[in-house]
Amino acid sequence: MMKNSTLRGALFTSAAIVCTISSPVQAAAQTRQFAIEAQPAETAITQLGRQGDVQIIAARRLTQTVRTNAVRGEMSVDEALSRLLAGTRLVARRTGPGSYAVVARAGTGASTAVSATVPRAVTLTSLTTASAAQDNIGSNARSDSPPETPDEPANGTEILVTGFRGSLAKAQDLKRRAVNLTESIMAEDMAKMPDLNLSESIQRLPGVAISREGGEGRNITLRGFSPDFTRTTLNGMEVPASSDGLDSGGFTINAGRAFDFHVFASELFNRIDVQKTQRASIEEGGIAGTVDLYSAKPFDFSGFHFVGSALGGYNTMTRKVDPRATVMISDTFADDRIGVLFSAAYSKRTVYQEGFSSVRWTSPYVNGDSWADTSPAVTGTPEDCGAADRLDCLWAPRLPRADFFGNDQKRLGLTGSIQARPVEGLTLSFDALYSQLDSDRYSYNSMEWLLTHGSPGNFVGQTPLSFTVAPDGKQLVAAAFDDVTSWYESRHQTSTSKFRQFVLSGDYEVTSALKIDAMVGKARDTADRSELRFYARSVPHYYAYDYSGSKDVAQVDYGSYDPNDPDNFINATTPANRLNNVVKDNVTAKANATFTKGRFTAQAGFAYNRRLVRYSEAQGDLPTFDPSRYLTSFPYAHFGSGVVSGGLPTFAVMDFDAIGSSGLVSGNYTTNVAAGWQVVEKTTGGYGEVTGEIDIGSMTLRLDGGARWVRTDVESSAVISGSPVQVKRHYDNFLPSFNAALNITPDLVARFAYARSMTRPGLASLNIAAPVFEYTTRTVSNLGNPALKPYLSNDFDLGFEWYFSKGGLFAVGVFKKNIISSLTTSVVQQSVPQEYWAAIYADPRYDASYQADPATAQYTFYSTVNSPDGNSVKGLEATLNVPFTFLPGALSYFGIASNYTHVSARDSTGLSPNSYNFTAYYDTGDLGVRLSVNKRDDYLLSAPGGNGHIQERKYGPTQVDFSAYYNLTKRISINLQGINITNEKERIYGTGDGTQYLVREFSRTGAQWFVGARYQF
């Protein structure tokens, strides 16, 4: 028996590739620098074993006709093997801490240890340890129990994990091997991002919260910082993305630094990284962190790859079906030296945001007026606030109204990529991405005029009949009036956001130790918006509201008045007829050199960026007219049925088609030159960084340290008093960073990081358009300050990560960001900068007799300036991911993925103190079901709030999403996704005197369900 066993082992050894390298036990868990060309598997596997300091065994009968992929860069052995063998009939199985066996993939006709069928494009996401006696692999030692061969695997050993669990495992591998703190989201394959919106996917990560608009995520808040403090890159370069907003999201186009994630279709991307701690090689600009988006490239796959998917979406509020489709084609040619990829994603989305609004509450005392003295019947006792009449202390809704915001949205995304390896060691890539988001919005609001108080007349004022006072004596919870005027608002907005990016990049391995990479790219985003808005004003009528049954939605009563009758309206005005345009243009060029010697790598590089933002607007006709000819019935059925039982009352609205054909509003627009502005930032920076690892006993310490220097040049331009004005300023910053990751054991990692980070001032602070010069008082207001320096922060992170079982993770970390330089509004006495003198002299309001010559006089500026009194943000992040692989049978396919974040700050604007994500899933690789819950606390919008409120806050929603798939065959799957399946509410409210809860806006957008199929080849 022993003789036969020994002979069998000898025969196997002679027929196998064996790479035996003396290595520490933790070799497989460490990151290594790999430089392996696409070549025959026998040679490639040998090179990988040598460069990774591990043992790899593979039967020649499996490898002799196989050609493997190129592997370059710093990564773990697991990742290197995954990339090397992707798309072949081979996979790798770890047989010990420093040894692997290459075996045939399941379904290829050989007996293997693979227990799940994996599509060709799916990369290796989980390697498990077999119970083989790995110390004997590749040696001549005799054994009564020889090591298992690739043809004789351990029964039940699972190598690959697919589906949602596989994506989690892949993301954890990236987090584990990164020297800085990084969170990742990995799509298992193209068109399989876990969510249908990029920001919805990112919110699953610890420390991330999102703001939604119309039920869809738009911007992210990272670690308690507003969206302007997060830098976003796409395929290696910083990019802009802008769109306009709904009523609750703001009227203007996003002309700031915040990135609008909903501009892009999520199917175009297969990886998202969130860099939470800085490295010198990461470009500056994001104190909160950097979000890196990656679209697919042909060399990500081997040979021909096709993916197509089609979904139909149904919204419970709109009751409409919208299409969503994706296709991707990729192929490699000329012995895998040329690759081409094309992908497209198209979707339509019809969303209704319906609800009820007060447009803030206020009191006559705060408003500076009084209720008309009509001796209304009063129930309850008003609290004394110091007013002559206590009734004037009562808070009441300003413009109580039913709200409808309807948006027909179309999103198109296209990507193209060409890659080539013209000579040995050189890879060139050209990537193009186009995205277009079109929105067509109709908004209707039934406002009743309680905005100002007093005797009725000229479409304002009212006659109080009865008041019901809340138990606290502060709120007018119900009231009835005569002589109230309706100001019914109808608005039509159209907007188009177009994004284009072109990136040419390359990397060249000069030697096995020296690598050079470079890229140049251009990205341009244009956002155009038109708005036509009317107010139809009614005859005076009876109106009553009652919040006693709900704090969010009032019951209303019009008596005998009919708000749907066009003859009840006698006047109409046009408050808005305008065009807005924002252009954002980024150009980036950068190059890096990487030198590797032993276990250390040195990097150096430079980067140049030019960021341009230009804003313009134009004004059209503003006619006043008889509305009765242009009013029509409310055009949407089931209004408000998804908001409150019985729905919301309908009302007459403007017929935009009738107005368009009437000639009331011409197509002539006049450019508002004084409102236009442009800001250009040019940054030039360089860095040096060293990364390496050292052994401390049985532990491995991975280190990264470096510094970045950057110069920023600012040009701010506008036309003031008919004179072109341009202001130029510059500043320099030195930004050191340090990261340490201690592998205490192969499964336990401790981290520490320090960095100086920066975020440049908001663009509104740099904008010099439309200043107000007062020459009699020698004051200046509404003037941006291009001389502003950036926000600066000292960042500290400490964390521990435990990787357990097969894909389990428990991680906890604390962080603190001390803002040592920020911005504040201040009153400053100073000379007027010379750039403005010509504009002042040209101002017809200026006169020398005022003794306000800007060349000699001091002016008082009400302006934004730098301040050493910054914010301080600190927080805790915890993650727990548990695949239930330790359970028997079908229970082993269950798992959870969860995280919790607590953040506190001196300035808590936009910050939810607590947020969490919880996902429960069942995933076999052929069948998967996932339920996700995302929750964030209420958060501050402004302090003080408008109309006398101490604060204005936003409700922190609980978003519940669902996803399921089933693989009918290895190529065809059916999919079901539910977004906001509980029809969660959106709510903004004020705090009145600081103790009250006074709802400004309450709405819902309905649950969204998608069902469809996916085909891959």
Side-chain angles (χ1 to χ4, degrees):
M1 179 92 174
M2 183 179 295
K3 181 178 180 180
N4 291 336
S5 176
T6 303
L7 178 60
R8 184 175 60 183
L11 290 173
F12 173 76
T13 302
S14 67
I17 305 165
V18 181
C19 306
T20 307
I21 306 293
S22 177
S23 63
V25 175
Q26 303 93 331
Q30 300 171 0
T31 58
R32 301 292 186 188
Q33 193 71 29
F34 293 94
I36 303 170
E37 292 299 320
Q39 58 189 301
E42 293 183 6
T43 308
I45 292 172
T46 301
Q47 290 182 3
L48 195 148
R50 183 179 300 110
Q51 295 179 22
D53 293 345
V54 292
Q55 302 170 347
I56 308 176
I57 186 169
R60 283 200 180 96
R61 65 177 181 80
L62 296 177
T63 62
Q64 60 185 353
T65 62
V66 175
R67 184 175 179 84
T68 55
N69 308 301
V71 178
R72 300 184 184 89
E74 182 182 341
M75 65 194 78
S76 69
V77 174
D78 289 0
E79 173 69 6
L81 280 167
S82 171
R83 296 187 183 187
L84 189 81
L85 302 176
T88 71
R89 63 171 181 262
L90 305 176
V91 293
R93 172 165 61 85
R94 186 187 296 176
T95 57
S99 58
Y100 294 83
V102 174
V103 300
R105 191 183 297 272
T108 60
S111 175
T112 74
V114 179
S115 62
T117 301
V118 182
R120 175 169 52 179
V122 178
T123 56
L124 189 64
T125 56
S126 179
L127 289 168
T128 61
T129 303
S131 59
Q134 68 275 5
D135 292 340
N136 290 329
I137 295 180
S139 70
N140 293 321
R142 295 179 61 184
S143 170
D144 292 338
S145 301
E148 294 174 325
T149 72
D151 292 322
E152 297 175 342
N155 291 331
T157 301
E158 183 179 307
I159 297 177
L160 294 183
V161 183
T162 60
F164 180 71
R165 177 181 291 182
S167 299
L168 283 177
K170 182 68 172 177
Q172 288 180 190
D173 286 344
L174 292 174
K175 177 184 179 74
R176 185 176 192 171
R177 68 172 181 261
V179 70
N180 66 321
L181 181 56
T182 302
E183 310 282 357
S184 296
I185 300 170
M186 303 297 295
E188 184 190 4
D189 200 353
M190 278 300 297
K192 294 191 73 175
M193 190 59 67
D195 296 273
L196 297 179
N197 178 285
L198 286 178
S199 62
E200 301 281 350
S201 290
I202 298 172
Q203 73 166 335
R204 311 291 180 202
L205 299 175
V208 179
I210 68 172
S211 58
R212 290 184 176 86
E213 179 187 284
E216 186 177 33
R218 175 171 177 172
N219 304 123
I220 71 168
T221 297
L222 180 58
R223 289 188 154 187
F225 286 87
S226 67
D228 277 1
F229 287 84
T230 299
R231 178 174 166 270
T232 302
T233 73
L234 173 55
N235 291 330
M237 69 169 290
E238 184 177 333
V239 290
S242 296
S243 63
D244 73 332
L246 294 175
D247 187 40
S248 58
F251 288 104
T252 59
I253 302 175
N254 172 11
R257 299 187 188 276
F259 188 86
D260 287 343
F261 285 90
H262 71 314
V263 169
F264 298 102
S266 64
E267 293 93 336
L268 300 179
F269 303 91
N270 58 3
R271 175 176 166 183
I272 304 172
D273 291 339
V274 179
Q275 312 282 351
K276 290 185 175 178
T277 62
Q278 307 293 330
R279 296 179 63 174
S281 53
I282 298 175
E283 289 185 64
E284 75 293 334
I287 285 179
T290 297
V291 176
D292 298 319
L293 309 176
Y294 298 95
S295 61
K297 298 185 179 185
F299 286 172
D300 293 344
F301 313 95
S302 179
F304 181 78
H305 191 65
F306 172 85
V307 175
S309 67
L311 298 167
Y314 177 80
N315 184 283
T316 58
M317 188 167 287
T318 67
R319 306 186 185 187
K320 292 186 176 181
V321 176
D322 294 321
R324 190 177 186 109
T326 306
V327 64
M328 187 208 76
I329 302 173
S330 177
D331 204 355
T332 56
F333 315 93
D335 203 18
D336 287 337
R337 292 188 175 275
I338 299 175
V340 179
L341 179 146
F342 169 80
S343 70
Y346 174 80
S347 65
K348 291 183 66 176
R349 181 173 180 264
T350 306
V351 59
Y352 297 165
Q353 181 172 314
E354 300 177 356
F356 194 84
S357 173
S358 66
V359 197
R360 294 197 189 99
W361 294 60
T362 192
S363 71
Y365 183 66
V366 169
N367 206 50
D369 53 25
S370 299
W371 294 112
D373 188 10
T374 57
S375 301
V378 178
T379 302
T381 304
E383 188 181 68
D384 185 9
C385 66
D389 185 345
R390 287 192 178 189
L391 292 179
D392 291 339
C393 297
L394 294 171
W395 292 75
R398 297 166 65 245
L399 293 165
R401 70 187 195 187
D403 291 337
F404 174 88
F405 302 110
N407 187 15
D408 289 321
Q409 184 183 84
K410 297 179 183 178
R411 183 189 287 115
L412 172 67
L414 304 171
T415 73
S417 181
I418 301 173
Q419 289 187 288
R421 300 186 182 106
V423 298
E424 194 74 13
L426 175 63
T427 301
L428 299 175
S429 301
F430 177 76
D431 298 283
L433 189 148
Y434 175 85
S435 182
Q436 179 170 330
L437 178 67
D438 295 308
S439 294
D440 190 5
R441 297 185 173 115
Y442 288 91
S443 305
Y444 304 111
N445 312 110
S446 62
M447 297 184 292
E448 306 299 335
W449 190 273
L450 305 182
L451 177 65
T452 56
H453 317 95
S455 299
N458 195 28
F459 302 106
V460 297
Q462 60 287 127
T463 301
L465 300 177
S466 64
F467 287 168
T468 300
V469 182
D472 63 3
K474 301 178 182 180
Q475 181 183 353
L476 193 55
V477 71
F481 305 90
D482 263 339
D483 306 313
V484 174
T485 300
S486 298
W487 287 59
Y488 286 5
E489 181 182 63
S490 297
R491 189 184 326 148
H492 183 208
Q493 296 170 319
T494 61
S495 66
T496 297
S497 178
K498 295 181 180 180
F499 175 89
R500 308 167 186 85
Q501 185 197 41
F502 303 96
V503 177
L504 176 64
S505 61
D507 60 81
Y508 179 54
E509 295 175 7
V510 182
T511 69
S512 60
L514 178 62
K515 175 184 175 182
I516 297 174
D517 65 88
M519 66 86 68
V520 60
K522 178 179 174 62
R524 183 180 180 90
D525 183 88
T526 58
D528 299 287
R529 174 181 178 274
S530 68
E531 179 186 5
L532 185 59
R533 190 186 345 165
F534 303 104
Y535 288 134
R537 299 189 290 191
S538 74
V539 297
H541 59 81
Y542 173 85
Y543 175 76
Y545 73 84
D546 187 353
Y547 279 96
S548 60
S550 167
K551 293 182 178 180
D552 299 315
V553 180
Q555 292 287 327
V556 299
D557 181 13
Y558 289 94
S560 60
Y561 175 80
D562 184 2
N564 296 281
D565 185 354
D567 291 333
N568 282 331
F569 295 84
I570 59 176
N571 175 273
T573 65
T574 310
N577 179 18
R578 59 185 177 183
L579 305 177
N580 304 87
N581 173 263
V582 170
V583 175
K584 294 183 178 180
D585 195 278
N586 285 23
V587 174
T588 298
K590 58 185 178 181
N592 307 279
T594 304
F595 179 76
T596 302
K597 185 173 180 59
R599 301 170 72 180
F600 285 85
T601 298
Q603 287 182 284
F606 80 92
Y608 168 81
N609 288 277
R610 179 182 181 272
R611 308 178 188 92
L612 177 148
V613 180
R614 182 170 59 246
Y615 171 80
S616 62
E617 66 179 49
Q619 184 67 50
D621 301 334
L622 298 175
T624 299
F625 55 94
D626 177 5
S628 61
R629 297 173 53 193
Y630 304 106
L631 287 170
T632 187
S633 300
F634 195 83
Y636 299 95
H638 316 290
F639 177 49
S641 61
V643 180
V644 293
S645 177
L648 294 167
T650 60
F651 49 93
V653 302
M654 288 292 181
D655 186 337
F656 283 94
D657 290 337
I659 291 175
S661 60
S662 69
L664 273 175
V665 180
S666 71
N668 300 321
Y669 289 87
T670 301
T671 301
N672 185 356
V673 176
W677 55 271
Q678 177 176 288
V679 173
V680 177
E681 279 183 349
K682 298 177 183 178
T683 64
T684 305
Y687 77 94
E689 179 179 280
V690 176
T691 303
E693 60 183 42
I694 58 176
D695 292 327
I696 304 176
S698 62
M699 301 183 294
T700 300
L701 177 63
R702 293 178 287 138
L703 300 168
D704 170 81
R708 189 174 194 89
W709 170 86
V710 61
R711 174 189 171 103
T712 304
D713 292 276
V714 179
E715 300 175 4
S716 186
S717 306
V719 176
I720 304 174
S721 300
S723 300
V725 177
Q726 184 180 73
V727 180
K728 296 183 179 182
R729 300 291 186 266
H730 75 272
Y731 51 85
D732 300 274
N733 294 101
F734 181 73
L735 306 169
S737 61
F738 173 77
N739 291 272
L742 178 65
N743 287 28
I744 302 171
T745 71
D747 297 326
L748 183 62
V749 180
R751 296 185 184 274
F752 170 78
Y754 162 77
R756 171 72 63 87
S757 62
M758 64 177 282
T759 290
R760 295 180 176 88
L763 296 170
S765 302
L766 306 176
N767 164 25
I768 63 172
V772 178
F773 294 100
E774 294 293 345
Y775 305 113
T776 56
T777 58
R778 292 187 290 280
T779 58
V780 182
S781 59
N782 196 46
L783 178 62
N785 183 3
L788 288 172
K789 303 282 178 36
Y791 295 85
L792 292 174
S793 175
N794 287 325
D795 305 335
F796 300 89
D797 278 76
L798 179 66
F800 294 90
E801 300 160 10
W802 175 36
Y803 299 86
F804 59 89
S805 185
K806 300 175 183 178
L809 169 64
F810 173 72
V812 62
V814 293
F815 65 88
K816 185 174 184 181
K817 294 179 180 288
N818 291 323
I819 309 296
I820 59 175
S821 176
S822 64
L823 307 183
T824 187
T825 302
S826 184
V827 179
V828 180
Q829 193 85 11
Q830 67 177 53
S831 300
V832 177
Q834 188 171 354
E835 292 93 341
Y836 301 100
W837 292 0
I840 290 176
Y841 295 143
D843 188 346
R845 297 183 305 112
Y846 173 78
D847 192 287
S849 63
Y850 294 145
Q851 297 182 346
D853 188 342
T856 58
Q858 293 275 304
Y859 277 64
T860 300
F861 284 72
Y862 298 86
S863 179
T864 302
V865 297
N866 284 104
S867 169
D869 299 325
N871 195 12
S872 177
V873 179
K874 56 185 177 181
L876 177 145
E877 298 171 345
T879 300
L880 178 63
N881 296 340
V882 183
F884 295 164
T885 52
F886 53 86
L887 295 177
L891 295 177
S892 65
Y893 296 117
F894 284 95
I896 62 171
S898 61
N899 59 71
Y900 164 79
T901 303
H902 174 77
V903 183
S904 62
R906 287 202 300 266
D907 178 2
S908 59
T909 303
L911 181 152
S912 293
N914 300 286
S915 61
Y916 70 82
N917 295 279
F918 179 84
T919 297
Y921 63 87
Y922 176 86
D923 206 320
T924 68
D926 285 326
L927 169 67
V929 179
R930 173 169 54 95
L931 184 70
S932 298
V933 180
N934 171 267
K935 170 66 179 174
R936 64 180 298 189
D937 286 348
D938 294 7
Y939 55 96
L940 178 66
L941 292 178
S942 61
N947 303 106
H949 290 263
I950 299 298
Q951 290 186 344
E952 194 157 32
R953 302 180 64 82
K954 189 163 187 178
Y955 169 75
T958 301
Q959 180 94 358
V960 182
D961 302 321
F962 174 85
S963 178
Y965 76 91
Y966 176 68
N967 293 334
L968 293 174
T969 69
K970 67 178 181 178
R971 302 194 188 282
I972 302 175
S973 64
I974 56 175
N975 304 275
L976 173 67
Q977 292 208 34
I979 300 172
N980 186 30
I981 62 176
T982 59
N983 190 18
E984 177 64 304
K985 55 184 169 287
E986 296 186 28
R987 179 165 53 196
I988 298 174
Y989 61 94
T991 63
D993 64 5
T995 65
Q996 297 172 271
Y997 180 89
L998 304 172
V999 174
R1000 172 183 137 187
E1001 295 176 13
F1002 179 89
S1003 63
R1004 298 183 190 270
T1005 56
Q1008 186 86 27
W1009 291 92
F1010 289 88
V1011 62
R1014 182 177 185 274
Y1015 175 82
Q1016 68 172 11
F1017 177 78

